[in-house]
Each structure stands twice: as C-alpha cells, then as structure tokens.
Amino acid sequence: MNFSRFFAVFKARNIEFFRDRSSLGWNLIFPVLMLVGLSFVFSGDGRAIYKVGVIDLAQSKSSFLETKYMSFIDYQEVALATVKLEQHSIDLLVDFNAKKYWVNQGAPNSYLVEKIFLSDNSNYQRIETQGKKIRYVDWVLPGILGMNMMFSCLFGVGYVIVRYRKNSVLKRLKATPLSAFEFVSAQLLSRLFIVMFMSMVVYSGCNVFFDFFMMGSYVDLFIIGALGAFCLISLGLLVASRSKSDELIGGLLNVTSWPMMMLSGVWFSLEGAPEALKVLADFMPLTHLVAGARAVITEGATLSDISFHINILLLMSSIFLALGAYLFSWNTER
C-alpha cells in the first residue's frame, strides 16, 4: 500500500466530483426537494388506518383483533411499544394476557381507538401515557437521506468505474505502479467522504427550517450512516467490477437500487408487513441503514441497541468487498 499513490487518486476523484456542478447540485437539491414536498403532502398523520400494538400477538385472543380497518402489530417488549405509543406511531397498546391497555391521552386517534376497544372489552386496567408526536417529516428523514446516500454510492461509484474502464483510463492506470487495491480503496474512501459530507450539509441546512426531532446521539447517527454508506459503496464496486457497458451498468444499478428503495422502509414502516417481505428486506443494506438511523433519531437508541444492524452492515461490507476485489478487472468485460 503506497499512500502517496492512494492519496493522489483520492484527491483526484474528490476534485472531479466537486467540479461537476450538475452532480454536486443534484446531490444537494434532490433530498431537500423531497423533504419539502413530503412535509406538505404528509403534513397530517400520513396513515390511512389505525395501528394497534399488541403484546405477544400470537398468544392473544379477542374479537377486537378481527376489527376491520385496523392494523395489529406484534411487540414483545412493553418499553419499546410504549415509546411507539408516546410518539403517535401506534394508536393503542393492549396486553390481552395481563388485561392491560395503554392510551396516549394527547392523541385524538388513541381516544377513538380506545372507545372502539372498550365496546367489546371490559375489566382492563387503563394506563395513560403521553409524549411529543413524531411528524412524518421526522420519521421519513432517515429514509430520504439513506435513499440519497444509496443513489450517490451506487451510481457515483458504478458509473465512474465503468466510464474509466470504457475510456481506457483503467487500462492506463494499470500500466502505472498503482495497484488494484490502492485504486479501489481510494475510490471507496473518496465516495465515503463525499457522501457523508453532503449528507451532513443537507441535514444541517434542512434542520434550520424543519427543526428535526432527535432523541439519540449525533455521533451514533454519524457512525451508522458511515457504516451504511461504506456497505452501499462496496455494493457499487461489486456491481461495477467487470462491466464495460453504460447500458448494462445502468440496468444492474437500477435492479439493485429500486427494490431497496421500495422495500427498505424508506417511505413506510414494515411493522405489520408479511414475514416473507421482512425477510427479503433484511437482505438489503439500505434496510439496516434506515432502521438503525431511525432508531437513533426517534427512539434514542445507542450503538449497542442497534448492534444487529451494525453487525449485518459489517458482514455485508466484507462480502461485497471480497467479491468485488476478486472479480475486479482493469479492462476486460465480464
């Protein structure tokens, strides 16, 4: 590893990005426009049905569970479920086995669902709670930033490497003392620096106007963001490891990014979704980036609390890097 050669490639890639005003402007404007638009479109509750949390749903039996137009979400921990209730993420929490239910006295939906619940159930202990409501723009913020990072990581790395290969830049670099490891490492860290820098600028700028909700640590948020970006960049390197065609890399990147955008919890919660869909989402790095960041922001989670997401991102990064290094070619087509 020659650090002078590594730093030369790292510096050149950063200069190339910041001189491209169209790419720089798009990375700044796109997430801002999405946040502004969604803050108006979903200025209300943003949900079409009532959501009821149930402690140990599989073991619960009640005619209330057959009520139409309600979504019943399984929780195993009362502490986590009450936080969701306080933040207006669910409208009622019920423990049928313990004959208890929790209601958010500051939420209109909670009041209505309680009335429906009591029409068929009695002799339940009522527990009141209240808390600051999480706006939809606060909830969707990690998803939008994560999606913007995903596109920047995948397309910013994939298209660049394919362009270098197509224009014979990689072929020329191969004739220099620069090793494949030094080149790939420089590309990875350069894109990581760019993505994190742009995300921090967007978040800080929008926070002035939206005053985002934040319960956790900004350091923890930065760490999970950096790990997620690193994993997505590694995936981008893998996808572009052999391709020499703009059309092929465009198709591969779209196939990679669109399922993550739709199924990784960017726009809507996966709570209450079919188990098969949740399993599929767990194989996507964006799912763990968004879930981890959202837990830090809305629940005050620490790194130990989101260790599952961190470990999965580290494992995926290792696999993507190993495969990308093995398949990487300077000038051949797969």
Side-chain angles (χ1 to χ4, degrees), residues 300-317:
T302 62
L303 293 180
S304 61
D305 296 326
I306 58 173
S307 58
F308 170 75
H309 301 297
I310 291 176
N311 291 333
I312 292 297
L313 288 174
L314 289 173
L315 177 61
M316 287 183 175
S317 298

Side-chain angles (χ1 to χ4, degrees), residues 86-248:
E86 291 171 358
Q87 296 177 348
H88 300 230
S89 296
I90 58 177
D91 303 308
L92 195 75
L93 175 62
V94 184
D95 187 341
F96 289 101
N97 298 319
K99 293 286 185 179
K100 296 180 181 179
Y101 75 93
W102 289 257
V103 59
N104 188 333
Q105 58 183 355
N109 282 0
S110 191
Y111 171 83
L112 294 173
V113 176
E114 180 188 17
K115 294 299 182 183
I116 299 173
F117 173 75
L118 293 178
S119 65
D120 289 330
N121 298 273
S122 58
N123 299 323
Y124 276 71
Q125 179 184 354
R126 184 180 190 270
I127 304 175
E128 293 184 354
T129 184
Q130 61 180 355
K132 181 180 178 181
K133 182 178 181 179
I134 301 294
R135 300 169 300 175
Y136 181 71
V137 69
D138 295 314
W139 186 89
V140 81
L141 169 67
I144 291 180
L145 290 180
M147 182 184 66
N148 190 56
M149 292 169 69
M150 175 191 70
F151 283 119
S152 182
C153 293
L154 294 181
F155 287 84
V157 171
Y159 271 118
V160 167
I161 292 181
V162 170
R163 187 178 76 244
Y164 285 172
R165 185 178 289 119
K166 186 176 181 180
N167 295 338
S168 299
V169 173
L170 293 185
K171 187 176 182 180
R172 295 186 182 95
L173 288 175
K174 186 180 180 182
T176 70
L178 183 72
S179 67
F181 176 74
E182 291 166 351
F183 172 78
V184 171
S185 299
Q187 290 292 321
L188 192 154
L189 291 182
S190 170
R191 179 52 54 171
L192 180 62
F193 166 75
I194 291 170
V195 167
M196 295 307 298
F197 175 77
M198 299 303 293
S199 297
M200 290 170 62
V201 170
V202 170
Y203 181 92
S204 301
C206 291
N207 191 41
V208 174
F209 299 98
F210 291 103
D211 187 23
F212 293 127
F213 184 91
M214 182 62 173
M215 286 189 65
S217 166
Y218 284 105
V219 175
D220 293 346
L221 181 62
F222 180 87
I223 291 174
I224 186 65
L227 287 175
F230 185 85
C231 186
L232 290 167
I233 294 169
S234 302
L235 178 58
L237 289 171
L238 171 60
V239 174
S241 60
R242 306 282 288 188
S243 176
K244 195 177 180 180
S245 166
D246 290 338
E247 292 78 9
L248 175 60

Side-chain angles (χ1 to χ4, degrees), residues 252-273:
L252 291 175
L253 291 174
N254 278 312
V255 168
T256 304
S257 59
W258 276 92
M260 286 195 285
M261 186 174 67
M262 301 304 297
L263 301 177
S264 294
V266 172
W267 309 107
F268 52 85
S269 173
L270 293 178
E271 290 181 329

Side-chain angles (χ1 to χ4, degrees), residues 14-21 24 193-194 197-198:
N14 288 343
I15 293 175
E16 182 183 9
F17 173 81
F18 284 107
R19 284 181 176 176
D20 187 348
R21 295 182 179 180
L24 179 63
F193 166 75
I194 291 170
F197 175 77
M198 299 303 293

